[in-house]
């Protein structure tokens, strides 16, 4: 957790977060801190899991951070973040206390553009696809 | 799925699989085929999820493939495989039909030793830790 926080808090310009489940209060506070520092934060999450116990999503929205989610039955199951468009943080880890404390998990930190670019492209694709103006209510 | 199968079926000597959930029949058949071809296959999985609907774990064991699992409350949440000790396949994807067909997922294929080695070390660590001779029944 401390190593993940350190990488996240190195963000100076932008932070894209694409997370199936986000309920860790420490990581939620770090993201809010970055937002207050002027980092452009954008969050994509899963519609079914954003209301899980202790979810940080409502707090992030309340703080003014834009959050978008899917409208599908399938899960938005990614677990990655991109710092300043150049550092990819990805793996099996959802940002939940259960995952951090009790599970066997992996987190990869990669700065090669070869890996960062397709994840950034996937984020932008999802960000547009989940634009609320595209939601269908009928 | 076809790209994942192609990478898996390239195995000639060894295949380590460390998966939270494994229920895809196509991937199960591919793993059994490799076992019959003489590839040394070892599987680690999660105790709570190895009995999920359509789980391949029983079939793999029946085919003679060694499978080990955790004995903990936390999840063995990894989702990676290592082909011939040199190709790492990792990401958010569990090997389930739901994940392959309906979810947004990512899979990274990496051949740099810098990334493969820590995953191989983690596999060997887990393999020993989950050795049935270490199980406690009382």
């Amino acid at each position: 957790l401390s190593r993940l926080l350190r990488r996240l808090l190195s963000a100076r310009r932008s932070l894209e977060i694409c997370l199936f489940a986000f309920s860790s209060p420490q990581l939620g506070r770090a993201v809010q801190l970055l937002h207050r520092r002027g980092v452009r934060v954008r969050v994509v999450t899963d519609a079914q899991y954003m209301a899980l116990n202790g979810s940080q999503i409502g707090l992030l929205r309340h703080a003014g951070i834009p959050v978008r989610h899917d409208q599908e039955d399938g899960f938005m199951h990614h677990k990655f973040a991109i710092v300043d468009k150049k550092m990819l943080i990805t793996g099996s880890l959802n940002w939940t206390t259960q995952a951090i404390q009790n599970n066997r998990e992996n987190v990869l930190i990669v700065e090669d553009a070869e890996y960062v670019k397709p994840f950034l492209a996937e984020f932008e694709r999802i960000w547009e696809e989940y634009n609320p103006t595209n939601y269908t209510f009928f």
Side-chain angles (χ1 to χ4, degrees), chain A residues 3-4 7-8 87-91 107-112:
Chain A
R3 283 183 290 169
L4 177 54
R7 300 302 185 123
L8 272 183
M87 184 199 293
L88 169 66
I89 300 169
T90 191
V107 177
L108 264 166
I109 313 273
V110 186
E111 302 204 43
D112 312 56

Side-chain angles (χ1 to χ4, degrees), chain A residues 65-83:
Chain A
I65 296 169
V67 178
R68 295 184 180 179
H69 58 80
D70 65 300
Q71 266 214 318
E72 298 143 21
D73 285 337
F75 290 138
M76 201 311 295
H77 200 241
H78 288 306
K79 306 111 174 28
F80 70 84
I82 302 166
V83 173

Side-chain angles (χ1 to χ4, degrees), chain A residues 42-135:
Chain A
R42 292 181 292 168
V43 178
V44 165
T45 192
D46 182 76
Q48 284 120 295
Y49 271 69
M50 68 185 184
L52 91 165
N53 245 344
S55 174
Q56 295 296 303
I57 297 300
L59 297 170
L60 298 181
R61 282 187 158 143
H62 190 72
I65 296 169
V67 178
R68 295 184 180 179
H69 58 80
D70 65 300
Q71 266 214 318
E72 298 143 21
D73 285 337
F75 290 138
M76 201 311 295
H77 200 241
H78 288 306
K79 306 111 174 28
F80 70 84
I82 302 166
V83 173
D84 291 341
K85 316 264 192 225
K86 62 184 182 15
M87 184 199 293
L88 169 66
I89 300 169
T90 191
S92 65
L93 186 81
N94 287 300
W95 291 10
T96 68
T97 303
Q98 143 86 15
I100 292 164
Q101 293 185 350
N102 301 331
N103 294 356
R104 304 284 308 218
E105 303 274 4
N106 64 77
V107 177
L108 264 166
I109 313 273
V110 186
E111 302 204 43
D112 312 56
E114 177 192 355
Y115 298 113
V116 180
K117 278 176 71 176
F119 279 80
L120 199 52
E122 170 75 351
F123 185 90
E124 296 295 355
R125 198 159 41 230
I126 294 180
W127 188 252
E128 282 316 311
E129 188 181 323
Y130 296 176
N131 188 324
T133 62
N134 297 334
Y135 286 3

